[in-house]
Amino acid sequence: MEASSYSSSKGFTVIVVMACLVAVGLAGNFYENMDITFGNEHTKILNGGQDLLLSLDRYSGSGFQSKHEYLFGRFDMQLKLVPGNSAGTVTTFYLSSQGVGHDEIDFEFLGNSSGNPYTIHTIVFAQGKGDKEMQLRLWFDPTTAFHTYTIIWNSQRIIFLIDNIPIRVFNNYEASGVPYPKNQPMRVYASLWNADEWATQGRRVKTDWTKAPFTASYRKFNVDANIVGPDQNSATSSSNNQAWSTQGLDAAGQNRIRWVQSKHMIYNYCNDNTRFPGGLPTECKRLKFM
C-alpha cells in the first residue's frame, strides 16, 4: 500500500454492498483484471499479462489493484520478493475496502539487510480498527523462487496461508463484540514502497538507495470469490467450487499452524501485555484455530 498499514486514509467510504454477488473464478491476466494505481513507469507487465514486476527507487514505488470488488473468497498470488539488501522496502499483497472505517486483510513483507530474513507482517482491520498484528520469519528464502501467498476470507474466519500451509487464523467473534470484516466489499491490492521510517528493525536500518531499483515479481494470481456488482450482468459465474466459504482447519492444518507459530513467530499481539495494560483483546482469550 502507499502508506503505512497503520494509516486509514484511503479515499471514500464504502457504505453499501452492491446489489448482486456472483461467484467467479479469475486467473492469471494482469492486463485484463488489474489496474495500475501508482508508479506506472515503475511497473512492467510481461508474458502477455501473466507476470508483473513492481519496482521502487528514491522517486517512486508502484502498485496495482483489482478491477473488481469482492465479498468473501479465496485469493492466491505468487510472489518473489526483493533480493539482497531490501532494508526499508515493503512489498504487499492485501485486500481492502475504502475510507474511514475500512476493512483490510494484509500480507506485508518487510525487507532487511543482506543475509537477514524477511519479516512477514499480517494484520486485520475491521471497521477501521486494527491493532491485530502478527509477525513471523519464513522457513525459506522468499527471494530466490516464487511462493504462493493466500488469503481465505469467509463469514466465519480469515486464514492466511503460505504454500497452502496455514500461518494465522482470525475468527469471527462478533458475538463477543469483536468487529469482523463482513459487510464491506474489498479489492485486491499489491504494492512496493519505501517505509524505512518503521519497517526494518524499528527504523534503525534505512533504505540504501545505491541498491535501487528494487524489484518484486508477481504472477499466477487466482481469485475464486463473490464479485460485487450492480446487476446480474456484472460478471459471469465461472466457478462452482466454493470450498473456501466454510473452510477451516482440519487436524493436519492445526498441526501445521502450531509448528509455524511455535518455530517462526516473532510477534503476536495476543501476547503483548505491555501494549494492552488493561487486558488483552477479547479474541485473544478464545480458541486460536477453530
Side-chain angles (χ1 to χ4, degrees):
M1 65 190 67
E2 295 182 54
S4 165
S5 291
Y6 303 100
S7 170
S8 61
S9 56
K10 290 191 173 182
F12 65 91
T13 304
V14 175
I15 299 175
V16 180
V17 174
M18 303 295 283
C20 175
L21 296 178
V22 182
V24 297
L26 298 174
N29 196 290
F30 287 101
Y31 281 125
E32 295 175 1
N33 298 313
M34 298 292 179
D35 291 320
I36 305 304
T37 53
F38 70 107
N40 185 69
E41 69 280 7
H42 290 71
T43 304
K44 291 182 180 179
I45 301 178
L46 307 171
N47 298 327
Q50 300 305 303
D51 301 287
L52 188 150
L53 303 181
L54 295 181
S55 66
L56 164 71
D57 59 24
R58 65 171 62 250
Y59 304 105
S60 179
S62 48
F64 62 88
Q65 70 178 35
S66 62
K67 293 180 183 294
H68 297 297
E69 294 180 301
Y70 306 94
L71 191 64
F72 304 135
R74 176 179 177 125
F75 307 87
D76 299 284
M77 186 79 75
Q78 288 195 357
L79 282 80
K80 184 163 61 173
L81 302 181
V82 175
N85 185 353
S86 57
T89 70
V90 175
T91 306
T92 72
F93 164 51
Y94 64 104
L95 310 177
S96 184
S97 63
Q98 295 287 318
V100 177
H102 79 297
D103 295 337
E104 190 171 322
I105 304 169
D106 281 18
F107 269 112
E108 296 186 340
F109 307 91
L110 313 186
N112 215 328
S113 52
S114 298
N116 291 307
Y118 264 81
T119 296
I120 307 304
H121 182 91
T122 64
I123 188 167
V124 176
F125 278 80
Q127 299 168 31
K129 182 174 175 55
D131 299 333
K132 303 182 189 302
E133 302 94 346
M134 290 187 180
Q135 294 184 343
L136 59 87
R137 298 274 166 74
L138 290 172
W139 52 96
F140 56 85
D141 183 347
T143 72
T144 59
F146 283 93
H147 293 268
T148 302
Y149 302 87
T150 300
I151 296 169
I152 293 174
W153 170 40
N154 60 41
S155 61
Q156 296 89 45
R157 63 190 60 84
I158 296 160
I159 308 174
F160 296 82
L161 303 101
I162 300 176
D163 294 333
N164 276 324
I165 297 173
I167 64 166
R168 179 181 181 182
V169 174
F170 183 82
N171 289 300
N172 184 344
Y173 289 121
E174 283 187 306
S176 299
V178 180
Y180 184 82
K182 71 171 190 179
N183 296 318
Q184 300 187 75
M186 295 196 267
R187 295 184 191 272
V188 178
Y189 292 86
S191 58
L192 174 59
W193 54 287
N194 178 48
D196 65 3
E197 292 185 357
W198 67 273
T200 303
Q201 298 181 28
R203 80 179 61 181
R204 290 189 297 274
V205 183
K206 300 297 185 178
T207 304
D208 181 357
W209 293 112
T210 68
K211 307 297 184 184
F214 304 98
T215 301
S217 303
Y218 293 76
R219 72 176 190 185
K220 292 188 178 179
F221 74 88
N222 187 75
V223 175
D224 186 3
N226 290 327
I227 195 170
V228 177
D231 54 52
Q232 292 285 347
N233 296 321
S234 61
T236 57
S237 178
S238 59
S239 174
N240 295 317
N241 177 17
Q242 290 196 13
W244 51 261
S245 65
T246 57
Q247 188 164 338
L249 297 186
D250 58 15
Q254 292 182 55
N255 288 335
R256 291 189 182 102
I257 199 171
R258 289 190 183 100
W259 172 78
V260 169
Q261 295 191 355
S262 66
K263 299 293 186 181
H264 300 281
M265 182 173 287
I266 59 173
Y267 178 79
N268 180 350
Y269 77 106
C270 281
N271 296 330
D272 195 342
N273 292 290
T274 301
R275 185 178 180 184
F276 302 103
L280 294 172
T282 300
E283 68 269 19
C284 296
K285 304 168 187 177
R286 308 294 179 178
L287 293 174
K288 289 187 176 181
F289 307 133
M290 295 299 288

